[in-house]
Amino acid sequence: MTTTAAEPIALSRRELNKVATREAIATAALELLRTNGMNGFTADDIAVAAGVSRRTFFNYFSSPEAAVASFTQKYLDKVIEQLLLRPQDEPLLESTQHALTAVAPTDLATLAETFALTQGDAQLSRFQLEAWDNCSSKIIAAIGRRLALPEGEAAGGSDANGELYLHALVQSVIACGRAAVEVWFRRHGADISAASLAQLRELLISAIGHLRTGFHS
Amino acid sequence: MTTTAAEPIALSRRELNKVATREAIATAALELLRTNGMNGFTADDIAVAAGVSRRTFFNYFSSPEAAVASFTQKYLDKVIEQLLLRPQDEPLLESTQHALTAVAPTDLATLAETFALTQGDAQLSRFQLEAWDNCSSKIIAAIGRRLALPEGEAAGGSDANGELYLHALVQSVIACGRAAVEVWFRRHGADISAASLAQLRELLISAIGHLRTGFHS
DNA sequence: TGCACAAGTTGCACCGAGTGCAACGGCCGC
DNA sequence: GCGGCCGTTGCACTCGGTGCAACTTGTGCA
């Protein structure tokens, strides 16, 4: 069901170390955020906790905030991964709803937690925003690639007007995702229980549902 | 036509000075961005150009990026201002389209220019994102206040499910706005001519139009 | 008008983010 | 096992950002 589709590429020892280091740094950052709160740790602290030098920390992340945001990035990347597994002729909104349900609850939990933990700090929030926006760009790029290949860019009115359509659609999808998380947080605060997360998933599906049926307030 | 609706409040000398200083700093920042490019100036430079001390700069803006983002903020605030002048029973999407046409082209020009100038720098882009997001929050708060007052929160299914609806709607509107600017930039680059800006306004209206008719790709 | 107070500005000192550079140490191919 | 490559580290430096205390300027009041 989870359909991880992990490619069995053999990693060299070096690459393996890099991945491990990156993960150690990221988890150290999250752990410090959990315990010390929003402004309670420095890049030094993260480096020490991860067992690397301060300089090495900056070789992996451009800032402490970026390390935290990597978790949001990772979750959204998994959703994209699932999204691209859906049939190409399926409407995007439907595909998105399926993709959202296909991602494991564990990943959703870290998304929810990091969102909750970053609320209240301006810079952390900005990096969260950036993560969502990167997600937009990636989806637009992927779908744009799909559309460009098969029919030479001039099919179904996809050329000039379609560019705006695509951007508006995808960005709206992301917007609804963020809206769902926001509403969830307003209701449940930092509650990461399974029941609460189920509500969050429900809200995510509903938000996309609103986009499917249209807004006519 | 422009309906500026400026309140004729008499400002004291102190407040007048503050406004002037703030404006001097912001314009100095924009000017430096124009001439020196994305990473070509420091907080010191801005302060000197504005004729204040470095410390005073930070009394007005939390960072150089914030000073630049103030222009985007200002434009979006003007749109909100127009939005709230529309009749309350008008659908939000329609109100938004009207509000967008009501704002003067001059303001749209600075929005477009700052967008173009901030592309390529990560931190500047993050502050742009934040400005758009703040706009979401303000609109949601304003409309939420409207809905809460007249009927005691339990009318038209606006209570629990309506919260998600409202957030998803408003955030989608903002998303479409950003999408329009993005598409405009992809096509016109840094061209700020009247013709180009007319195209941008057209794209903004069209993007909201897509939201009105719904997405069924 | 003059005086006392409030509000804004400035300089200073300090900490943390972020980066270029050069030396070091472990993985890799041969 | 050995030379070369890649990642790590320490160092030094710049800039962002802030608390604090002295100073200057606008404001209210007598």
Side-chain angles (χ1 to χ4, degrees):
Chain A
M1 182 67 71
T2 39
T3 339
T4 25
E7 301 188 5
I9 296 178
L11 295 175
S12 75
R13 187 74 127 265
R14 268 208 192 116
E15 305 172 278
L16 226 56
N17 284 345
K18 287 198 72 170
V19 171
T21 303
R22 185 182 181 84
E23 207 159 310
I25 294 176
T27 56
L30 180 56
E31 189 56 35
L32 281 170
L33 179 60
R34 273 198 266 250
T35 59
N36 293 17
M38 294 171 300
N39 260 1
F41 59 98
T42 73
D44 261 299
D45 298 333
I46 301 174
V48 170
V52 296
S53 76
R54 176 186 136 87
R55 192 61 185 83
T56 298
F57 167 82
F58 284 107
N59 283 342
Y60 282 89
F61 295 101
S62 62
S63 67
E65 293 83 5
V68 173
S70 71
F71 289 96
T72 302
Q73 291 271 11
K74 205 197 296 180
Y75 171 79
L76 294 175
D77 283 344
K78 290 193 178 181
V79 175
I80 292 177
E81 190 184 322
Q82 292 301 319
L83 194 60
L84 296 181
L85 291 177
R86 303 296 307 174
Q88 299 204 9
D89 57 337
E90 186 181 55
L92 177 64
L93 296 177
E94 210 177 318
S95 298
T96 305
Q97 290 180 316
H98 285 126
L100 283 171
T101 60
V103 174
T106 309
D107 299 314
L108 186 57
T110 66
L111 174 83
E113 188 186 9
T114 53
F115 181 90
L117 288 172
T118 53
Q119 290 302 102
D121 179 79
Q123 188 69 348
L124 282 169
S125 298
R126 272 174 221 125
F127 274 77
Q128 294 289 113
L129 283 181
E130 189 188 22
W132 289 92
D133 192 53
N134 286 342
C135 181
S136 285
S137 304
K138 287 177 190 170
I139 295 177
I140 290 172
I143 297 185
R145 235 177 290 120
R146 275 191 183 179
L147 294 180
L149 288 185
E151 19 197 8
E153 88 181 300
S158 73
D159 189 20
N161 207 346
E163 189 184 12
L164 177 63
Y165 181 90
L166 176 62
H167 278 70
L169 169 56
V170 173
Q171 302 233 46
S172 292
V173 170
I174 300 301
C176 286
R178 294 212 303 117
V181 177
E182 212 171 283
V183 170
W184 168 82
F185 180 71
R186 290 164 69 94
R187 292 185 190 164
H188 296 79
D191 175 15
I192 313 288
S193 67
S196 178
L197 290 176
Q199 295 274 336
L200 173 53
R201 180 174 286 188
E202 199 57 42
L203 284 169
L204 285 165
I205 306 293
S206 293
I208 306 294
H210 280 136
L211 206 49
R212 287 183 73 176
T213 60
F215 296 104
H216 307 285
S217 64
Chain B
M1 182 66 71
T2 38
T3 340
T4 25
E7 301 188 5
I9 296 177
L11 294 175
S12 73
R13 184 69 136 271
R14 266 207 191 118
E15 305 172 278
L16 227 55
N17 285 345
K18 287 198 72 169
V19 171
T21 304
R22 186 181 180 85
E23 206 159 312
I25 294 175
T27 56
L30 181 55
E31 189 54 36
L32 282 169
L33 180 60
R34 273 198 264 251
T35 58
N36 292 17
M38 295 170 299
N39 260 0
F41 59 98
T42 74
D44 261 299
D45 298 334
I46 301 175
V48 170
V52 296
S53 76
R54 175 184 135 88
R55 192 62 185 81
T56 297
F57 168 82
F58 283 108
N59 283 342
Y60 283 89
F61 295 100
S62 62
S63 66
E65 292 83 5
V68 173
S70 71
F71 290 96
T72 303
Q73 291 271 12
K74 205 196 297 181
Y75 171 79
L76 295 175
D77 284 343
K78 290 194 178 183
V79 175
I80 292 177
E81 190 184 322
Q82 292 300 320
L83 195 59
L84 296 181
L85 291 178
R86 303 297 308 176
Q88 299 204 9
D89 58 335
E90 185 182 56
L92 177 63
L93 297 177
E94 210 177 316
S95 297
T96 305
Q97 290 180 317
H98 285 126
L100 284 170
T101 60
V103 175
T106 309
D107 299 313
L108 186 57
T110 67
L111 174 83
E113 188 185 9
T114 53
F115 181 90
L117 288 172
T118 53
Q119 291 300 104
D121 180 79
Q123 189 68 349
L124 282 170
S125 298
R126 269 174 224 127
F127 275 76
Q128 295 288 113
L129 283 181
E130 190 188 23
W132 289 92
D133 192 51
N134 286 342
C135 180
S136 286
S137 304
K138 288 176 190 171
I139 295 177
I140 290 172
I143 297 185
R145 234 177 292 122
R146 276 190 184 181
L147 293 181
L149 289 185
E151 21 198 7
E153 89 183 299
S158 73
D159 190 21
N161 206 347
E163 190 184 10
L164 178 62
Y165 181 90
L166 176 61
H167 278 70
L169 169 57
V170 174
Q171 302 232 48
S172 293
V173 170
I174 300 300
C176 286
R178 293 213 303 116
V181 178
E182 211 171 285
V183 169
W184 168 82
F185 180 70
R186 291 163 67 94
R187 292 184 191 165
H188 296 79
D191 176 14
I192 312 288
S193 67
S196 177
L197 290 177
Q199 296 274 336
L200 172 53
R201 179 174 287 188
E202 198 58 44
L203 285 169
L204 284 166
I205 307 294
S206 294
I208 306 294
H210 279 136
L211 206 49
R212 288 183 73 177
T213 60
F215 297 105
H216 307 284
S217 67

